[in-house]
Amino acid sequence: MKIKASFLYKQSELENIFEVDPLVGLSTEEVSERIGVYGKNKLIKAKKTSFAAMFLLQFKNILILVLLAAAIISGVMGEISDAILIIIIVIMNAFIGASQENKAQTSMEALKKLTNPEAKVLRNGKREIIKSEELVPGDVVYLDVGDFVPADGRLLEVASLKIEESSLTGESVPVNKAVIDLIDPETPLGDRRNLVFMSSLVNYGRGKYMVTSTGMKSEIGKIAGMIQGTETILTPLQKRLDELGKILAIGTIVACAAVFVIGLIRGGDPLLLFMTAVSLAVAAIPEGLPAIVTVVLAIGVQKLVSRNVIIRKLDAVETLGCASVICSDKTGTLTQNKITIEKLVANGEISNVSDLKEKIMNGPEKMIVEIGMLCNDASIITGKDGVQEIGDPTEVAMIALAANLDFDKSAKIEKFPRVGELPFDSERKMMTTVHRVGDTWYSFTKGAPEHMLNCAKYYFSKNQIVLMSEENINDINKKNNILSDDAYRIIAYGYKHFDAMPEVSVENLEQDLIFCGVTGMIDPPRAEVKESIKICKIAGIKTVMITGDHKNTAVAIAKQLDIFEKKSLAYTGEELSKMSDKELHDQIDNIAVFARVAPEHKVRIVDAWQKKGRVVAMTGDGVNDAPALKKANIGCAMGIIGTDVSKEAADIILTDDNFSTIVSAVEEGRGIYSNIKKAVHFLLSCNIAEILILLIATIIGWLQPLLPLHILWINLITDSLPALALGVEKNSAELMKERPRSPKESIFAHGLGGRIIFQGIVLAAITLTVYQIGFVNFGVEVARTMCFAVLGFSQLAHALNVRSQKKSLFSARLFTNQYLWGALGISCALELTILLIPTFQLIFDVVSMSATQWFIVFIGTLSPIIVVEFTKLIGRIIRKKFF
């Protein structure tokens, strides 16, 4: 028995399908049978990858494999220290990567916390409390205020039942539930008023329902399945580094083979040639790069913590740096997630409540506030835990309005005590309370404007009560339409006077009302969001609203935030379901708002953008957002109002729930990528120099200028510290004025590859020149020492060159990076330690140098700065003249 759309069946049909009498419930035997068929009402946990498996997966990187091969060969050939250093770096990098991935496997644990541990159920004709996991389709369950719904089901009875479904729909306003029949199979989740859903919260009233779906078949179970089924995609940085690894690996193999073959042709010693080839492999691979990238990302993460961003995955912040689309949830992300009364309509005028004060309010305006305050079951309590809002959000908004206008609710309740009431009913769409006022009685009524107008006989305007006319009704409806078009939710207010305690009945209290006016309430946009969206536009980032709210409300908010413009389109989830993938692909560039969407729609929207080659950031806070958060290139969960599920599925968490914080994260992400490129630029230009030194020396037939230990020392110590410091360069002011980079863009784009090769050649030429001078004049040991010294020091000088691709290193930014100067100082000290202390000279096979030799090294050290500064100057002249 499979129920595809339980909201479409009549109650009697469901009773037959599930073979249950709603007055008796299931028997113990039937429950046992159904557990065997449907399983228990719990979410199935996806199989987790062990930490050991994740650790081993880190070694799939081709760069790492080449390094391991070099380490093994070095160990076999007796270079134990080389092998140990390489293996330590590789293991550290793998451990860090595995630790980060291990944190991302807890989404299902958070989902399980949302399920209710107990349920009140009717079985064998008796009401009893059971574990919610024992519920089966056909069970009859009771709901009261404060209960979490334990399973999906169809309502059988309601009494003013309101259920908050924000965890599923994303909308904070409770849904008025009703025992009704729906016939449209495309009815959105948020409009299925005859259903209740697992994990939602009973906000008001009570109800009774028949379970139709449990466990993974429930709506929240479907979300769990989507989270498990969504594959994690590689970030742009991961893709670029994988490409870089392949290029380096191929280049290394070709260079090593060339050196070995050329040496053999020249009649060289095979064993010595083999060791030279190993040295070349060590020179070609930037051993420190994986660790440097990880550390640079980690430093960026710490900077973002101070800006209210928690990064759950290191690569995530870099991905945000190339985001070109932000798909944002509306409620609580673009808006305040706080229903607020902003408009008041009385005396034929629309007023801003911010312009009102109790002392200057006349009769109907003042009456509206008092009715909203007294015909109300909500409360706002200030205690040691802060301000607590209890009750329906719309009623809380009425209490807040009265408080903001300096109305004293306690005094009013004491003066006008409640003596009777008619609770809100989804059919009447009104609520009425009766209050004693001295020796008289008043009934205060609030509700939907159309129902209130049908019940109104009089109109309270400008301190006069007149008969309600057709002209009055038309004017009220006109004002209501103005507010509706601006996405305000409208509540009407009226009252009735009695000389004696009235009979509490609909006929007596809710007929011949005196109509006072209406209020317009809305979940207002966050004040800072509009400016943030403007910055995103300048940065080439498109903002798209995705919400479970109604289309007109979503579009109105989007217009206020400048998300929705002249040529923008808005689609509902129902309309989206009817669109083919091609139609969505063709239209999506123009769609600014997706309204009334389900979780699967959000995933489809993200997927459509990704298929267009866009890097997508998705913000959200509810369970319904979790699959899309995981599917997106970068998922951004809200830290305050966000559910545990959304946080666990996300890549980053905004601790202040502020959309503008995303802008900070984007800027930081762009800065981190720029700095990683600087580190890559520095390391590769240095490594190319080392490759060329060994390759050219072998081809020419010179003795090996550098030993494997020299190269490893320079790569891991002399190079790595400055590269790391380059990773914390301050962000340029121009970063957020640039267009997002393409995720397909090579890390060598915009001439970086050419600069790396040219500067590598310059470093190699300088080093080989110094080596040859030393060899001719002082012998091989001194020449090798001079070569080791000039290569190390010239690379440190070169770190200053790569801080900017165009500007001179002598610009105003010369001393803005104190970490770089510190790194250069430490690296110089370490290099001098090797060159000056006899014990270390012995270990590294170097010798002491004379003043003349040191002077040659000094000139060689400064040469890269002179050459690169000259090329930058030529470039600036050309750009100024021709561009």
Side-chain angles (χ1 to χ4, degrees):
M1 139 194 6
K2 185 176 182 182
I3 304 298
K4 292 184 178 180
S6 58
F7 64 93
L8 297 175
Y9 288 86
K10 294 184 181 297
Q11 180 178 325
S12 57
E13 293 175 324
L14 284 177
E15 291 172 14
N16 291 332
I17 289 171
F18 288 110
E19 300 176 347
V20 62
D21 181 347
L23 300 178
V24 178
L26 298 174
S27 67
T28 304
E29 293 76 15
E30 288 172 320
V31 170
S32 298
E33 290 176 6
R34 296 188 188 198
I35 285 180
V37 174
Y38 298 103
K40 291 201 170 185
N41 178 38
K42 60 183 181 179
L43 303 180
I44 299 172
K45 190 175 179 181
K47 186 177 180 181
K48 291 182 70 172
T49 305
S50 68
F51 184 85
M54 285 186 285
F55 180 80
L56 292 174
L57 285 173
Q58 305 303 310
F59 293 90
K60 289 177 65 177
N61 186 296
I62 191 166
L63 259 181
I64 300 299
L65 293 176
V66 172
L67 277 176
L68 285 175
I72 292 169
I73 293 171
S74 296
V76 170
M77 302 305 297
E79 301 294 336
I80 303 300
S81 58
D82 294 5
I84 290 173
L85 279 171
I86 295 172
I87 290 172
I88 288 173
I89 289 291
V90 169
I91 290 175
M92 285 177 60
N93 185 66
F95 182 80
I96 292 171
S99 298
Q100 289 297 317
E101 289 185 18
N102 189 50
K103 294 178 182 178
Q105 293 200 81
T106 52
S107 296
M108 285 305 299
E109 291 299 322
L111 274 170
K112 291 176 74 176
K113 292 177 185 176
L114 288 174
T115 57
N116 196 25
E118 293 183 334
K120 291 170 282 192
V121 65
L122 179 66
R123 285 187 178 168
N124 302 306
K126 295 179 181 180
R127 184 167 170 164
E128 55 185 274
I129 297 176
I130 65 168
K131 291 182 179 179
S132 63
E133 68 177 34
E134 296 173 4
L135 285 175
V136 294
D139 260 324
V140 177
V141 178
Y142 297 93
L143 296 173
D144 293 297
V145 175
D147 287 347
F148 278 97
V149 179
D152 290 7
R154 174 70 175 268
L155 286 165
L156 303 174
E157 296 175 11
V158 296
S160 304
L161 182 64
K162 293 184 182 182
I163 296 184
E164 183 191 324
E165 298 175 347
S166 60
S167 62
L168 281 170
T169 65
E171 298 312 307
S172 57
V173 178
V175 179
N176 294 314
K177 294 297 182 178
V179 181
I180 56 176
D181 292 328
L182 298 173
I183 59 173
D184 185 0
E186 300 297 330
T187 303
L189 197 70
D191 292 334
R192 297 176 189 175
R193 295 176 53 220
N194 59 0
L195 297 186
V196 292
F197 305 103
M198 181 190 289
S199 84
S200 55
L201 175 66
V202 178
N203 184 274
Y204 190 89
R206 56 187 173 79
K208 176 181 173 183
Y209 77 97
M210 181 192 305
V211 175
T212 56
S213 299
T214 58
M216 297 300 285
K217 297 293 183 181
S218 66
E219 291 298 326
I220 201 167
K222 293 175 185 176
I223 292 174
M226 282 190 279
I227 293 175
Q228 293 176 3
T230 305
E231 294 183 4
T232 303
I233 58 178
L234 291 177
T235 69
L237 179 62
Q238 288 172 322
K239 293 176 182 177
R240 298 292 80 80
L241 291 179
D242 280 351
E243 291 173 4
L244 175 60
K246 291 174 184 176
I247 292 170
L248 290 175
I250 293 170
T252 299
I253 294 169
V254 170
C256 290
V259 167
F260 190 74
V261 171
I262 291 171
L264 284 178
I265 292 173
R266 296 177 61 87
D269 180 4
L271 182 59
L272 181 59
L273 287 172
F274 186 77
M275 285 304 300
T276 302
V278 171
S279 300
L280 191 59
V282 174
I285 304 298
E287 289 86 352
L289 182 58
I292 287 170
V293 170
T294 301
V295 172
V296 169
L297 288 171
I299 291 171
V301 166
Q302 291 305 312
K303 287 172 67 177
L304 281 170
V305 167
S306 64
R307 301 177 78 170
N308 301 310
V309 180
I310 295 175
I311 304 296
R312 297 188 65 251
K313 301 173 185 175
L314 283 180
D315 300 278
V317 66
E318 177 275 331
T319 310
L320 246 183
C322 60
S324 53
V325 177
I326 298 178
C327 294
S328 176
D329 185 34
K330 176 182 75 69
T331 305
T333 306
L334 297 173
T335 64
Q336 298 175 19
N337 195 28
K338 183 180 178 67
I339 301 299
T340 305
I341 295 177
E342 292 190 344
K343 303 289 184 181
L344 187 148
V345 182
N347 301 314
E349 296 181 355
I350 300 176
S351 304
N352 294 318
V353 297
S354 58
D355 298 331
L356 301 176
K357 290 293 179 184
E358 182 184 13
K359 293 179 181 178
I360 63 172
M361 293 172 68
N362 62 28
E365 293 173 330
K366 191 171 183 179
M367 200 71 183
I368 287 171
V369 178
E370 289 187 342
I371 292 171
M373 178 174 56
L374 296 171
C375 182
N376 194 311
D377 291 325
S379 59
I380 300 176
I381 301 172
T382 303
K384 61 180 182 179
D385 296 326
V387 177
Q388 287 184 300
E389 298 177 348
I390 302 171
D392 185 284
T394 59
E395 292 195 329
V396 170
M398 295 171 192
I399 300 294
L401 172 64
N404 291 337
L405 294 173
D406 300 323
F407 282 71
D408 188 336
K409 183 179 180 182
S410 299
K412 293 288 185 183
I413 291 175
E414 185 176 341
K415 188 175 180 181
F416 310 134
R418 184 189 297 191
V419 294
E421 66 179 288
L422 289 172
F424 179 87
D425 182 271
S426 59
E427 298 300 319
R428 294 170 22 250
K429 294 190 175 180
M430 290 190 288
M431 173 183 177
T432 299
T433 56
V434 181
H435 299 261
R436 182 168 55 81
V437 183
D439 295 329
T440 61
W441 286 260
Y442 282 81
S443 65
F444 296 148
T445 304
K446 71 175 190 293
E450 61 275 18
H451 289 258
M452 291 284 287
L453 285 172
N454 288 335
C455 299
K457 183 177 181 179
Y458 304 98
Y459 182 41
F460 190 12
S461 177
K462 298 179 181 178
N463 293 323
Q464 291 186 337
I465 298 173
V466 298
L467 283 170
M468 179 72 77
S469 66
E470 194 70 29
E471 183 181 350
N472 296 141
I473 293 174
N474 290 337
D475 183 64
I476 292 167
N477 284 330
K478 182 179 178 181
K479 299 292 191 304
N480 290 348
N481 289 336
I482 290 173
L483 294 182
S484 295
D485 290 342
D486 288 334
Y488 286 96
R489 187 182 180 203
I490 304 167
I491 303 291
Y493 305 82
Y495 72 97
K496 198 172 180 181
H497 175 261
F498 299 89
D499 292 325
M501 175 64 191
E503 177 190 346
V504 180
S505 66
V506 172
E507 295 75 17
N508 193 37
L509 300 181
E510 295 181 348
Q511 296 297 323
D512 300 331
L513 295 175
I514 301 169
F515 190 91
C516 297
V518 305
T519 56
M521 56 183 67
I522 196 170
D523 180 10
R526 289 178 175 269
E528 67 283 351
V529 166
K530 189 171 183 177
E531 180 62 24
S532 299
I533 290 172
K534 180 181 178 181
I535 293 172
C536 285
K537 286 182 179 180
I538 294 172
I541 301 168
K542 181 178 177 65
T543 305
V544 180
M545 180 190 289
I546 303 179
T547 177
D549 207 345
H550 293 280
K551 187 175 181 178
N552 64 330
T553 303
V555 169
I557 296 293
K559 285 180 178 177
Q560 291 183 42
L561 296 172
D562 291 338
I563 293 174
F564 197 93
E565 300 173 320
K566 285 185 179 180
K567 296 183 180 180
S568 297
L569 300 174
Y571 281 87
T572 64
E574 182 179 350
E575 292 167 333
L576 182 60
S577 295
K578 296 176 182 177
M579 294 178 72
S580 67
D581 289 341
K582 185 180 185 306
E583 289 172 328
L584 179 59
H585 183 274
D586 294 340
Q587 289 279 13
I588 199 163
D589 285 312
N590 299 317
I591 303 174
V593 173
F594 291 93
R596 224 63 183 147
V597 294
E600 59 269 22
H601 292 139
K602 297 183 181 186
V603 173
R604 188 182 176 200
I605 293 164
V606 171
D607 185 60
W609 278 115
Q610 289 174 337
K611 286 179 178 175
K612 295 207 79 166
R614 308 293 283 272
V615 175
V616 182
M618 171 76 191
T619 73
D621 53 61
V623 175
N624 60 315
D625 297 317
L629 288 172
K630 189 175 180 184
K631 170 65 178 172
N633 301 86
I634 179 80
C636 313
M638 301 297 120
I640 299 173
I641 64 171
T643 60
D644 287 344
V645 180
S646 65
K647 293 174 187 176
E648 295 295 348
D651 301 290
I652 74 173
I653 298 171
L654 310 178
T655 59
D656 59 355
D657 287 10
N658 194 331
F659 182 88
S660 62
T661 303
I662 299 173
V663 180
S664 300
V666 169
E667 180 182 3
E668 196 61 43
R670 290 186 175 190
I672 283 175
Y673 187 77
S674 174
N675 289 343
I676 287 175
K677 283 184 70 174
K678 291 172 185 175
V680 169
H681 178 176
F682 174 67
L683 289 173
L684 292 190
S685 55
C686 292
N687 282 43
I688 285 175
E690 294 161 16
I691 293 169
L692 290 175
I693 290 167
L694 293 175
L695 187 61
I696 292 171
T698 301
I699 291 173
I700 294 175
W702 291 354
L703 291 175
Q704 192 170 335
L706 294 166
L707 301 176
L709 189 58
H710 294 161
I711 295 169
L712 195 61
W713 172 264
I714 289 173
N715 280 2
L716 293 182
I717 307 300
T718 312
D719 286 356
S720 295
L721 286 176
L724 184 59
L726 286 168
V728 293
E729 281 281 320
K730 290 185 178 180
N731 294 337
S732 166
E734 305 298 314
L735 268 180
M736 292 303 286
K737 295 180 181 179
E738 300 172 0
R739 307 297 294 179
R741 73 179 187 278
S742 167
K744 296 180 181 179
E745 180 181 292
S746 168
I747 201 167
F748 302 111
H750 309 296
L752 179 61
R755 280 190 290 272
I756 289 173
I757 293 171
F758 170 74
Q759 291 166 12
I761 292 171
V762 169
L763 289 170
I766 293 168
T767 304
L768 285 171
T769 300
V770 170
Y771 173 75
Q772 184 61 11
I773 292 172
F775 185 79
V776 171
N777 294 286
F778 311 111
V780 67
E781 288 187 342
V782 172
R784 192 170 281 160
T785 302
M786 293 173 67
C787 182
F788 173 61
V790 78
L791 181 61
F793 289 126
S794 65
Q795 288 183 357
L796 294 178
H798 181 53
L800 297 172
N801 288 329
V802 303
R803 294 184 66 197
S804 174
Q805 306 299 326
K806 301 174 183 177
K807 294 181 180 179
S808 168
L809 70 85
F810 300 107
S811 66
R813 289 173 56 89
L814 180 60
F815 297 105
T816 56
N817 188 346
Q818 59 185 351
Y819 299 104
L820 178 59
W821 287 103
L824 294 178
I826 293 170
S827 295
C828 279
L830 291 171
E831 185 80 351
L832 288 171
T833 299
I834 301 299
L835 294 168
L836 298 176
I837 297 176
T839 302
F840 291 106
Q841 289 177 346
L842 186 63
I843 294 172
F844 281 83
D845 286 330
V846 295
V847 295
S848 297
M849 293 186 290
S850 66
T852 302
Q853 293 157 2
W854 273 109
F855 180 74
I856 295 170
V857 169
F858 177 73
I859 296 299
T861 297
L862 295 181
S863 296
I865 292 178
I866 296 170
V867 174
V868 174
E869 280 294 303
F870 179 74
T871 58
K872 285 183 181 180
L873 176 62
I874 298 299
R876 288 195 295 272
I877 293 172
I878 292 173
R879 283 192 297 273
K880 187 175 181 180
K881 188 172 183 178
F882 297 102
F883 301 99

